[in-house]
C-alpha cells in the first residue's frame, strides 16, 4: 500500500502560516517581552523544517528560492552594519538609539535600532539552521 | 572613546562575511583578502603609535561605562600583539596563495582564515572576561574548520581529538567564569582586579585562579600539550603556520593578562604552579624535539618549548622578566610562522617529511636553506637575531630572583632547540641528495617574498632591539603595575 501524506501536507499548509506568524511576533516582541532574534529564527526554521518533512527538498526549494548560506552571511552584515553606523554619528561602536513615531495603523510605536540588530541575528539563525539541516539531508554518499 | 579600536576586529569580520557570497571566484577572494590584511596592518600600526603617544586607549561598546558594558582596551601589550597578528596573518595569507590548492580555496578557506583573525584580535583587545571567552570560541571554531578542511583521514582523526579537548577546556572556562562571577560579581577585567584586591586572594579565589591556569594552559599548550603535536601536523603548511604563530600565543596572552592583572596577589601559590608547569613543558618538549626525525614533529615540539619559556618569564614576574616575555612572545610569533612556512615548503619540495629520506637541498635551494638557518639561530637566541633580547632579560632576572633550577632548564632547553633545528637543517640541506629529490618544483615568488620578509623582520627585530624595546618596555610597565590599566579603564567612573 502506498503511504500518502495527505493529512500531513494539509495540516502543514495551515500550520506553517501559524508558526511563521508566531515567529515574526516573537522576533518583534523581543524588546519588551521574552523573545528576540535567536528564538524567532529557530521557530521560523522549524516551520521550514516542517515543510521539508511534509514535502520534499526540491519542491520546497522551488517555493523558497533562497540560498541559506547567503542569508546567514547577509544577517551578519546587517548586524554589523547597525554597529558601524556609530562611525558616522561619532558615538561608540554598537551604540543603539530609539524613537517614537506615529504609524497609520499601529499608533504610537517605538522604533529601536536594536531591532535591526535582532533582524540580523534572526537571518543568521535561520540561514545557519537551514544550512545544517539541508546539507545533512542532501548528503547521499 | 576611540572607535578605531574596533577596526582591527571589524575589518576581517566584514571581509569574511563578504567573501562568503562568492566562494567560487578565487581571484576575487584573493584580492579582497589581500586588501583586507594590508588595511588591517595599517590600522594596527596606527593604533600602536596612538597607544605609544597618548597612553592606553579604551572603547566602551555602546557607550556603557565599565563595569556595566563591554570595554575594548588597547594597552601596549594588546597593541603589539594585534600588530604582530596582522603581520603574521598577512604572511600566512600570501604563503597560502601558492600552496593551499584550488579545492580548499573554493570551500571557504579565506572566510575561515579571516574569522580566525577576528577571534585572535578580539581576544587581544577585549577587557571583559566573558567577551574573551566568546572571542576564544570564534577563534577555535574557525580553527576546527581550518584543521578539517580538505577531509583526509588523518585530518578527520586529529580534528576529533582537537575538538574534544577544546570543548572540554571551553566548558571548564565557562565554569571558571561562573565561579569567579559567583565570588566577586563582575566580569570586567579591571573591575575584577579591583574587587579581588579588596576581598584578598586566598582560598576560593586561588582555586579559581588555578582553574583559569588549567584552561589557558590547555589552549596554550603549557604542560597540557598532549593534543598539540598531532593536531598541528595534519593541516596544510599555510594553516599550521598560522596555528603555530597565533593560537598558542593567544593562550599565553590570556595567561599573562590573568596573572598580571587579576590574580597577582598571591604569587607564592599561582606563580610557583606556573614555574613548575613551565619547567615541565620545556623538559618534555625538549624530549620530543630530540626524539623525532619527522619535520612536523620537531617543529611542533619547538612550539611547545617556546610556550614553556615564555611562561618562565611570567613565573619570574619582575618588570624586566615581563618585558622579556613580551619581547620573546613577539619574536616567537614571527619566528614560528617563518619556521612553519619554511618547513612546509621543505616538505613540498622534498616530497616527504622524514629527515632520513631527504638531503642535499642546499645546492638547489640555497636561499631557503640559509633562511632556515637564520630562523633556527633566531629561535635558539643567538645574539644579533631577535630571540636573544627576550631570553637575556628573562634569564638575567631569573638568576637575580634565585630561580636557579628554572634558569638551568631554560638554558638547557635553548641548546636542545638549537640542536633539534640544526639537526633538521643538516639532514635536509647538507649531505648527498636524497632519493626523493627527483622532480623538483620551483619556488614561487610568493614564498620568497613572504619567507624573505619574515627573515628580514627577525634580523631587524634583533639589530633594532633598542627601538623595539621602547615599545616592549612600555608593555612590561603596564603589566607590572596593574593600576595603570585599571585607571585607564575605570577613570570615567
Amino acid at each position: 500500500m502506498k503511504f500518502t501524506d495527505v493529512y500531513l501536507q494539509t495540516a502543514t499548509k495551515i500550520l506553517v502560516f501559524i508558526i511563521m506568524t508566531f515567529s515574526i511576533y516573537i522576533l518583534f516582541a523581543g524588546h519588551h517581552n521574552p523573545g528576540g532574534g535567536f528564538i524567532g529564527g529557530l521557530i521560523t526554521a522549524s516551520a521550514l523544517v516542517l515543510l521539508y518533512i511534509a514535502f520534499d527538498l526540491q519542491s520546497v526549494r522551488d517555493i523558497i528560492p533562497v540560498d541559506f548560506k547567503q542569508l546567514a552571511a547577509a544577517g551578519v552584515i546587517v548586524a554589523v552594519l547597525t554597529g558601524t553606523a556609530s562611525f558616522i554619528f561619532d558615538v561608540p561602536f554598537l551604540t543603539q538609539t530609539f524613537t517614537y513615531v506615529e504609524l497609520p495603523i499601529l499608533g504610537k510605536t517605538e522604533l529601536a535600532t536594536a531591532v535591526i540588530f535582532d533582524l540580523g541575528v534572526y537571518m543568521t539563525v535561520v540561514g545557519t539552521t537551514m544550512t545544517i539541516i539541508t546539507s545533512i539531508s542532501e548528503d547521499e554518499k | 572613546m576611540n572607535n578605531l579600536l574596533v577596526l582591527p576586529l571589524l575589518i576581517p569580520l566584514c571581509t569574511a562575511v563578504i567573501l562568503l557570497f562568492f566562494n567560487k571566484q578565487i581571484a576575487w577572494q584573493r584580492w579582497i583578502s589581500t586588501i583586507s590584511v594590508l588595511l588591517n596592518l595599517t590600522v594596527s600600526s596606527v593604533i600602536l603609535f596612538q597607544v605609544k603617544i597618548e597612553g592606553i586607549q579604551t572603547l566602551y561598546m555602546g557607550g556603557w561605562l565599565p563595569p556595566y558594558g563591554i570595554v575594548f582596551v588597547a594597552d601596549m601589550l594588546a597593541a603589539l600583539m594585534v600588530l604582530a597578528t596582522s603581520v603574521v596573518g598577512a604572511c600566512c595569507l600570501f604563503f597560502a596563495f601558492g600552496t593551499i590548492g584550488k579545492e580548499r580555496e573554493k570551500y571557504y578557506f579565506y572566510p575561515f582564515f579571516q574569522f580566525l583573525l577576528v577571534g585572535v584580535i578580539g581576544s587581544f583587545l577585549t577587557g571583559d572576561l566573558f567577551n574573551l571567552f566568546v572571542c576564544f570560541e570564534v577563534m577555535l571554531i574557525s580553527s576546527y574548520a581550518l584543521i578539517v578542511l580538505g577531509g583526509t583521514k588523518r585530518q578527520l582523526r586529529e580534528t576529533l581529538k582537537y575538538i574534544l579537548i577544546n570543548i572540554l577546556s571551553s566548558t571548564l572556562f565557562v565554569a571558571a567564569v561562573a565561579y569567579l562571577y559567583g565570588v566577586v560579581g563582575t566580569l570586567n577585567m579591571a573591575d575584577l582586579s579591583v574587587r579581588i584586591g579588596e576581598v584578598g586572594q586566598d582560598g576560593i579565589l586561588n582555586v579559581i585562579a588555578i582553574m583559569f591556569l588549567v584552561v589557558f594552559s590547555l589552549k596554550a599548550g603549557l604542560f597540557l600539550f598532549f593534543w598539540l603535536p598531532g593536531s598541528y601536523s595534519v593541516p596544510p603548511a599555510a594553516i599550521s603556520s598560522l596555528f603555530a604563530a597565533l593560537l598558542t600565543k593567544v593562550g599565553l596572552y590570556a595567561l599573562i593578562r590573568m596573572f598580571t592583572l587579576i590574580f597577582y596577589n598571591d604569587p607564592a601559590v599561582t606563580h610557583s604552579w606556573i614555574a613548575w608547569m613551565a619547567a615541565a613543558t620545556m623538559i618534555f618538549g625538549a624530549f620530543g624535539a630530540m626524539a623525532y626525525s619527522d619535520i612536523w614533529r620537531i617543529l611542533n615540539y619547538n612550539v611547545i618549548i617556546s610556550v614553556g619559556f615564555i611562561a618562565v618569564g611570567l613565573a619570574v614576574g619582575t618588570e624586566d622578566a615581563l618585558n622579556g616575555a613580551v619581547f620573546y612572545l613577539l619574536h616567537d610569533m614571527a619566528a614560528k610562522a617563518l619556521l612553519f612556512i619554511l618547513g612546509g615548503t621543505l616538505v613540498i619540495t622534498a616530497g616527504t617529511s622524514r629527515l632520513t629520506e631527504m638531503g642535499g637541498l642546499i645546492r638547489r635551494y640555497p636561499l631557503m636553506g640559509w633562511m632556515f638557518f637564520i630562523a633556527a639561530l633566531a629561535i635558539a637566541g643567538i645574539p644579533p637575531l631577535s630571540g636573544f633580547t627576550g631570553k637575556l632579560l628573562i634569564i638575567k632576572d631569573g638568576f637575580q630572583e634565585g630561580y636557579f633550577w628554572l634558569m638551568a632548564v631554560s638554558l638547557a632547553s635553548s641548546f636542545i632547540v638549537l640542536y633539534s633545528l640544526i639537526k633538521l637543517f643538516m639532514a635536509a640541506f647538507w649531505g648527498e641528495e636524497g632519493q626523493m629529490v627527483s622532480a623538483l618544483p620551483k619556488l614561487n615568488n610568493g614564498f620568497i617574498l613572504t619567507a624573505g620578509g619574515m627573515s628580514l623582520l627577525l634580523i631587524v627585530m634583533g639589530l633594532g632591539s633598542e627601538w623595539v624595546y621602547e615599545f616592549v618596555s612600555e608593555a612590561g610597565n603596564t603589566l607590572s603595575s596593574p593600576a595603570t590599566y585599571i585607571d585607564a579603564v575605570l577613570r570615567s567612573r
Side-chain angles (χ1 to χ4, degrees):
Chain A
M1 191 189 83
K2 191 175 175 297
F3 179 73
T4 57
D5 293 334
V6 68
Y7 289 118
L8 180 62
Q9 289 185 352
T10 315
T12 299
K13 282 172 192 165
I14 301 160
L15 280 175
V16 161
F17 276 100
I18 299 171
I19 299 172
M20 282 288 199
T21 318
F22 183 58
S23 76
I24 302 293
Y25 167 75
I26 286 283
L27 167 65
F28 287 110
H31 206 63
H32 293 294
N33 293 303
F38 186 78
I39 184 71
L42 281 182
I43 296 173
T44 304
S46 73
L48 295 177
V49 170
L50 185 62
L51 278 177
Y52 279 123
I53 292 170
F55 302 92
D56 59 316
L57 272 178
Q58 196 50 51
S59 44
V60 177
R61 193 158 294 161
D62 288 341
I63 55 167
I64 311 171
V66 179
D67 183 345
F68 288 111
K69 286 201 265 310
Q70 298 194 352
L71 182 70
V76 179
I77 282 280
V78 168
V80 170
L81 282 183
T82 58
T84 44
S86 59
F87 281 89
I88 304 165
F89 298 105
D90 199 33
V91 286
F93 183 68
L94 283 177
T95 301
Q96 51 154 326
T97 180
F98 62 95
T99 181
Y100 292 96
V101 288
E102 290 290 335
L103 289 182
I105 303 167
L106 299 168
K108 188 182 169 200
T109 312
E110 183 186 5
L111 290 182
T113 53
V115 173
I116 308 174
F117 189 90
D118 244 7
L119 197 69
V121 175
Y122 172 85
M123 285 158 73
T124 309
V125 170
V126 174
T128 313
T129 318
M130 296 319 294
T131 308
I132 293 170
I133 289 167
T134 51
S135 45
I136 290 174
S137 61
E138 279 168 356
D139 195 19
E140 274 161 12
K141 261 186 290 183
Chain B
M1 182 204 84
N2 182 359
N3 265 333
L4 205 62
L5 278 196
V6 80
L7 274 183
L9 177 127
L10 208 56
I11 293 170
L13 178 60
C14 290
T15 316
V17 179
I18 291 167
L19 291 178
L20 285 176
F21 285 103
F22 43 88
N23 56 321
K24 307 286 186 210
Q25 277 106 319
I26 295 171
W28 278 99
Q29 297 257 323
R30 289 181 174 186
W31 273 113
I32 293 178
S33 317
T34 308
I35 293 167
S36 149
V37 290
L38 293 180
L39 207 62
N40 225 8
L41 212 55
T42 325
V43 171
S44 37
S45 323
V46 170
I47 289 177
L48 182 71
F49 282 101
Q50 236 177 29
V51 173
K52 175 87 180 124
I53 294 163
E54 297 168 20
I56 298 173
Q57 300 288 308
T58 52
L59 167 61
Y60 308 125
M61 293 289 178
W64 294 95
L65 296 183
Y68 304 109
I70 288 172
V71 56
F72 263 33
V73 188
D75 63 340
M76 193 40 103
L77 175 62
L80 282 170
M81 296 299 277
V82 170
L83 182 63
T85 306
S86 310
V87 172
V88 168
C91 284
C92 292
L93 183 75
F94 296 145
F95 180 62
F97 288 161
T99 54
I100 198 77
K102 285 257 182 306
E103 274 309 302
R104 284 195 173 87
E105 284 182 308
K106 271 186 202 160
Y107 284 94
Y108 305 101
F109 168 72
Y110 295 114
F112 286 134
F113 183 96
Q114 300 284 350
F115 277 127
L116 187 86
L117 292 185
V118 172
V120 172
I121 290 173
S123 307
F124 290 148
L125 283 176
T126 187
D128 181 281
L129 207 51
F130 199 78
N131 199 234
L132 180 71
F133 170 76
V134 173
C135 289
F136 260 88
E137 287 306 301
V138 171
M139 170 184 93
L140 286 173
I141 289 171
S142 349
S143 76
Y144 302 155
L146 282 174
I147 205 171
V148 80
L149 191 65
T152 62
K153 212 173 188 176
R154 291 179 61 220
Q155 279 180 310
L156 293 175
R157 188 187 64 221
E158 292 300 333
T159 310
L160 191 65
K161 292 182 197 164
Y162 180 72
I163 291 185
L164 282 177
I165 195 69
N166 274 308
I167 285 182
L168 189 72
S169 68
S170 296
T171 315
L172 205 56
F173 194 168
V174 178
V177 168
Y179 288 142
L180 190 57
Y181 188 72
V183 175
V184 288
T186 181
L187 286 176
N188 180 288
M189 289 186 192
D191 199 34
L192 270 175
S193 179
V194 172
R195 293 204 191 180
I196 288 176
E198 281 165 3
V199 298
Q201 181 187 336
D202 59 341
I204 185 78
L205 278 168
N206 269 336
V207 173
I208 296 170
I210 299 300
M211 277 182 82
F212 276 108
L213 180 62
V214 170
V215 168
F216 293 132
S217 301
L218 267 170
K219 313 269 187 197
L222 178 67
F223 186 60
L224 305 167
F225 58 75
F226 47 87
W227 53 272
L228 192 146
S231 326
Y232 280 18
S233 50
V234 289
I239 295 172
S240 56
S241 59
L242 194 68
F243 283 11
L246 297 181
L247 294 194
T248 55
K249 308 303 180 285
V250 179
L252 271 173
Y253 169 85
L255 275 176
I256 292 175
R257 197 52 98 200
M258 288 306 275
F259 289 95
T260 57
L261 178 64
I262 299 175
F263 297 116
Y264 60 88
N265 297 308
D266 195 1
V269 177
T270 49
H271 287 55
S272 60
W273 272 68
I274 298 175
W276 281 106
M277 287 170 83
T281 314
M282 285 188 291
I283 292 168
F284 291 130
F287 281 138
M290 284 192 291
Y292 287 98
S293 61
D294 176 276
I295 289 181
W296 291 126
R297 294 278 158 173
I298 295 176
L299 297 189
N300 286 335
Y301 279 102
N302 270 300
V303 171
I304 293 168
I305 296 175
S306 71
V307 167
F309 188 76
I310 296 166
V312 169
L314 177 61
V316 174
T318 58
E319 188 175 340
D320 264 3
L322 288 172
N323 284 342
V326 174
F327 203 111
Y328 198 77
L329 191 57
L330 292 173
H331 141 81
D332 199 55
M333 288 171 85
K336 285 287 148 31
L338 175 63
L339 198 62
F340 272 69
I341 285 174
L342 290 168
T345 321
L346 200 59
V347 172
I348 295 168
T349 47
T352 172
S353 66
R354 292 173 177 282
L355 286 182
T356 46
E357 291 171 12
M358 53 175 73
L361 285 167
I362 195 83
R363 279 180 215 118
R364 313 274 187 114
Y365 301 106
L367 187 62
M368 184 163 85
W370 294 119
M371 284 198 282
F372 193 92
F373 189 65
I374 289 174
L377 294 188
I379 289 174
I382 306 292
L385 295 163
S386 57
F388 174 69
T389 322
K391 283 200 174 178
L392 178 72
L393 287 167
I394 293 179
I395 286 175
K396 185 192 65 145
D397 263 35
F399 276 122
Q400 274 173 8
E401 296 286 307
Y403 288 92
F404 295 110
W405 59 276
L406 193 57
M407 291 310 120
V409 173
S410 311
L411 285 171
S413 82
S414 295
F415 281 113
I416 306 290
V417 165
L418 191 62
Y419 164 73
S420 69
L421 291 176
I422 293 297
K423 182 181 81 174
L424 207 168
F425 175 73
M426 284 169 63
F429 289 98
W430 288 0
E432 293 300 308
E433 288 197 5
Q435 50 194 314
M436 300 299 288
V437 199
S438 48
L440 282 166
K442 257 180 75 79
L443 293 180
N444 56 11
N445 295 333
F447 162 75
I448 293 171
L449 207 69
T450 49
M454 291 298 261
S455 312
L456 213 61
L457 184 69
L458 290 187
I459 297 172
V460 168
M461 262 181 85
L463 293 179
S465 35
E466 279 287 321
W467 187 73
V468 181
Y469 188 73
E470 268 180 44
F471 292 89
V472 166
S473 63
E474 203 163 306
N477 248 330
T478 319
L479 289 181
S480 52
S481 59
T484 335
Y485 183 99
I486 296 165
D487 286 345
V489 175
L490 299 180
R491 73 186 143 203
S492 52
R493 215 164 44 162

